[in-house]
């Protein structure tokens, strides 16, 4: 069944390609884009960055004006077989239906549970899809919503790749984000996806903080519950950040015209136009064309779900937009490829650990603060108030635990203090050692033992 | 005539006070807040910053979570005798009415031109005010709107202080913004004022870039004019960033709960509550109480226009919000006080200069690129396409011209290139010298002569 560009309307956005010789990057140490083959696309990006950062050149752009915008679905991660936020909606309904008879009785929920996408998209306004979006995205606090997205991230896997969705980002685009930031650019997501959905993990996954995520939004309602202020999600003043909505969203949320724009579908055409046509500053446009059925997906006019690429592809040559051919321009697709091949570490590290001491503070007795490390380097745990998770970078006795995503529940002050101390300590960790006593010591850059943990036996 | 809190509803927000001994700052060289007297308010800010930045302390907050939000009207600059954006609306109508008979015939425009604020605020929905807002804020491109705000900034003066409105910022708050940024905070404006209005000058005036300005917004419409994409301002989906709208706007635009909040009126109460009540992180709230009729204004329950401060002031003690008494807590009010007293430079610099050479490129013949320096240190000029202006920092042979605000018109490529080169060169200037030949040379940090100018005789 084909959902086509319809889902785009409610949620998302996409991209495209040219050809080139595939060569391994020659000097991975200094090459900022090692996952990009040495083709014209890579050269175009590097040339542009060199031009706008050369203080003595005619095309110099001051850092404050180096705004780069990236579509998310299909540009930074896939949008097949369904957009990932739609997968989240389906999972939420599946999880909640058994406990919520009223919800389970809703005909559109039943259509979703049966995978009847056609029924959800019937009618001029996609009433079914809108209904299940409202059922999963409104009437709860922003904290509750964040926790649900976090649970989805931790517990569900992509049907084809069998990985957490947020591990399925494109390594070449991750390198590009970092390369631009290292050259004074400020990177923004501009996506049809829900801003609240993306902000839960954008910083941990892309290094893009919540305030740099432009997406579809609706108002919240401010009120007090149990004496504390909360924001309740609604569908009021819903704004769809797609197609013409993208330049509108850029103006509303960023207020400055970008000089670089990266997309993958017709939904990104307007923001590519806004970035590159008649811009008084030098500008750059790029489309990612999905051409690699073996490693990812291959489509343009007929995507598995969202991400139709027809008019933007046709408009690319006249506008000078660079079209990435995923198959030939990228020597690897997934962020984890490299990590899995180089990550080697003691098996003794794998397991579930309980914190006994954090920066010379003992731990609160009743609060179990844990760190679980899996054999693929996934790190997760509990601070006794919140769950956190992420990818550890481990090699030999080196370990980095800085990029964790955490739920955002509040708890008693003593536990919150301990949590803050623990997460701050994890962020400082650079090495580990396992003592003869079986304890795990996490060390900072100066070699101080800042966290001590004992193994929890299964 | 008193406009009271009504204007607030459409545009803006406010603050308050305690008492303390006024003492001069003892060590201006190292003191980050020299315009603040040594009172409990100053100490509270410094204590908070020390707590959250101490990596070994229990209250450490990682930089990514150090979000500080500032109301604008009444907190960073005044909102009397009328909110400055209302002054802009009146000036716009005054400027346009003679050339636009249809506009001049509008009864609400006539009320505005007659200063009949009462008539503008009649009716439940302030129809008159809404009408003149629509007449001045919609139907034009964002570039046109920016240019109009720029013209207002350059050409109008505050009725009491006889300065450009954007020169009337509070020096103690400017120091506070910088102090927080120097300590890893990201500073945001969260104002009832229009985001588009503030973004024109927020970076030059406060060092706050457009993307960090949260304000009242409405959608724009994306379309092509003469083959180029433009955004037309509308009133669709108008969002008023005031009262409960402030935490709503913070969530929508920033997506992260602040840990520090600065306001001055009841319109800021909700965002103070959202920042400080039940926040799992350490937090800080502050209200500026206008108590200085001599140097600025004195009001709370009965402001000259907007900025009513009653309920937030009453709620301050129970919530631990710090209340600034402008009269006793601040040893100076205006940003320019100090600059005017210490700025000493050769009179030979004052005048209108024409660029002859920019970084070893000659200048395009027909393009007059100018730099005019006034005896108060104001710098302004023309790039032949755009006007720029700002405050030069001059002392002895030192000069800084980095913070200029510019109109945003596009022109022929050759002129745009020259403009970019000129503005980039100005940003690099650290010293000047006037040659025996009467030419003005602007030098970079290495002493290279990067711009040569000749005097334009009157």
């Amino acid at each position: 069944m084909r959902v086509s560009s319809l889902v785009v309307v409610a949620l998302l956005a996409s991209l495209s390609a040219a050809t080139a010789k595939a060569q391994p990057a020659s000097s991975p140490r200094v090459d900022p884009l090692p996952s990009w083959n040495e083709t014209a696309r890579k050269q175009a990006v590097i040339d542009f960055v060199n031009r706008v950062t050369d203080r003595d050149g005619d095309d110099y752009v001051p850092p404050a004006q180096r705004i780069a915008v990236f579509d998310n679905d299909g540009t930074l991660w896939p949008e097949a077989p369904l957009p990932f936020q739609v997968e989240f909606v389906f999972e939420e309904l599946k999880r909640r239906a058994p406990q919520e008879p009223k919800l389970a009785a809703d005909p559109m929920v039943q259509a979703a549970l049966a995978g009847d996408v056609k029924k959800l998209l019937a009618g001029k306004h996609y009433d079914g899809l809108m209904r299940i979006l409202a059922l999963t995205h409104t009437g709860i606090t922003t904290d509750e919503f964040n926790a649900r997205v976090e649970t989805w991230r931790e517990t569900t896997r992509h049907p084809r790749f069998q990985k957490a969705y947020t591990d399925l980002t494109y390594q070449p685009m991750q390198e590009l984000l970092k390369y631009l930031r290292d050259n004074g650019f400020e990177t923004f997501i501009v996506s049809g996806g829900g801003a609240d959905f993306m902000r839960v993990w954008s910083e941990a996954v892309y290094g893009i903080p919540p305030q740099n995520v432009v997406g579809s939004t609706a108002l919240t309602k401010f009120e007090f519950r149990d004496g504390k202020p909360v924001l309740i999600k609604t569908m009021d003043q819903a704004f769809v950040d797609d197609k013409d909505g993208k330049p509108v969203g850029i103006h509303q949320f960023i207020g400055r015209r970008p000089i670089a724009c990266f997309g993958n579908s017709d939904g990104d055409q307007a923001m590519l136009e806004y970035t590159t046509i008649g811009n008084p500053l030098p500008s750059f446009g790029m489309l990612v064309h999905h051409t690699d059925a073996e490693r990812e997906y291959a489509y343009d006019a007929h995507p598995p779900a969202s991400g139709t690429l027809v008019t933007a592809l046709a408009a690319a040559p006249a506008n000078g937009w660079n079209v990435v051919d995923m198959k030939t321009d990228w020597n690897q697709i997934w962020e984890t490829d490299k990590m899995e091949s180089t990550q080697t570490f003691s098996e003794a590290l794998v397991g579930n650990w309980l914190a006994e001491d954090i920066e010379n503070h003992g731990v609160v007795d009743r609060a179990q603060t844990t760190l679980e490390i899996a054999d693929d380097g996934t790190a997760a745990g509990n601070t006794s108030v919140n769950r956190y998770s992420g990818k550890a970078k481990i090699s030999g006795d080196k370990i980095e635990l800085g990029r964790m995503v955490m739920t955002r529940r509040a708890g008693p002050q003593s536990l919150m203090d301990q949590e803050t101390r623990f997460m701050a300590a994890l962020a400082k960790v650079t090495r580990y050692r396992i003592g003869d006593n079986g304890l795990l010591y996490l060390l900072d850059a100066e070699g101080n033992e800042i966290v001590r943990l004992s193994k929890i036996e299964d």
Side-chain angles (χ1 to χ4, degrees), chain A residues 415-433:
Chain A
L415 302 188
M416 295 311 292
D417 288 348
Q418 179 165 312
E419 172 179 300
T420 305
R421 209 155 52 230
F422 181 64
M423 297 311 293
L426 284 195
K428 286 188 259 181
V429 168
T430 60
R431 288 173 190 271
Y432 72 95
R433 74 175 182 85

Side-chain angles (χ1 to χ4, degrees), chain A residues 153 174 199-209 335 389-390 403-406:
Chain A
R153 224 170 84 78
Q174 291 276 11
R199 283 168 170 169
V200 175
W201 42 262
S202 63
E203 188 153 32
V205 170
Y206 298 126
I208 295 180
E335 191 184 9
S389 64
R403 278 199 176 187
M404 297 291 137
V405 171
M406 192 156 61

Side-chain angles (χ1 to χ4, degrees), chain A residues 328-341:
Chain A
T328 58
D329 283 337
W330 289 357
N331 61 57
Q332 67 175 2
I333 304 273
W334 306 115
E335 191 184 9
T336 45
D337 290 3
K338 195 189 295 170
M339 197 177 290
E340 284 174 353
S341 59

Side-chain angles (χ1 to χ4, degrees), chain A residues 34-77:
Chain A
S35 299
W36 292 69
N37 289 319
E38 301 297 329
T39 65
R41 263 59 61 202
K42 177 174 182 170
Q43 201 52 51
V45 170
I46 290 174
D47 286 349
F48 176 72
V49 170
N50 287 343
R51 274 169 59 207
V52 301
T53 55
D54 175 9
R55 291 187 69 103
D56 298 321
D58 289 352
D59 288 343
Y60 178 72
V61 176
Q65 292 183 285
R66 293 182 206 153
I67 303 289
V69 293
F70 288 80
D71 169 60
N72 183 42
D73 298 290
T75 300
L76 298 177
W77 74 3

Side-chain angles (χ1 to χ4, degrees), chain A residues 397-417:
Chain A
D397 68 339
K398 290 183 195 145
I399 183 167
E400 282 180 38
L401 294 158
R403 278 199 176 187
M404 297 291 137
V405 171
M406 192 156 61
T407 56
R408 304 183 188 189
R409 281 179 286 272
Q413 196 55 47
S414 62
L415 302 188
M416 295 311 292
D417 288 348

Side-chain angles (χ1 to χ4, degrees), chain A residues 245-285:
Chain A
K246 290 208 171 194
V248 171
I250 287 169
H251 178 73
Q252 184 155 13
F253 285 79
I254 305 175
R256 187 163 249 164
R257 200 162 173 181
I259 65 164
C261 177
F262 303 84
N264 77 304
S265 80
D266 294 346
D268 301 317
Q269 187 167 347
M271 74 167 171
L272 280 160
E273 292 167 342
Y274 183 58
T275 301
T276 64
I277 301 178
N279 191 336
L281 296 173
S283 63
F284 185 85

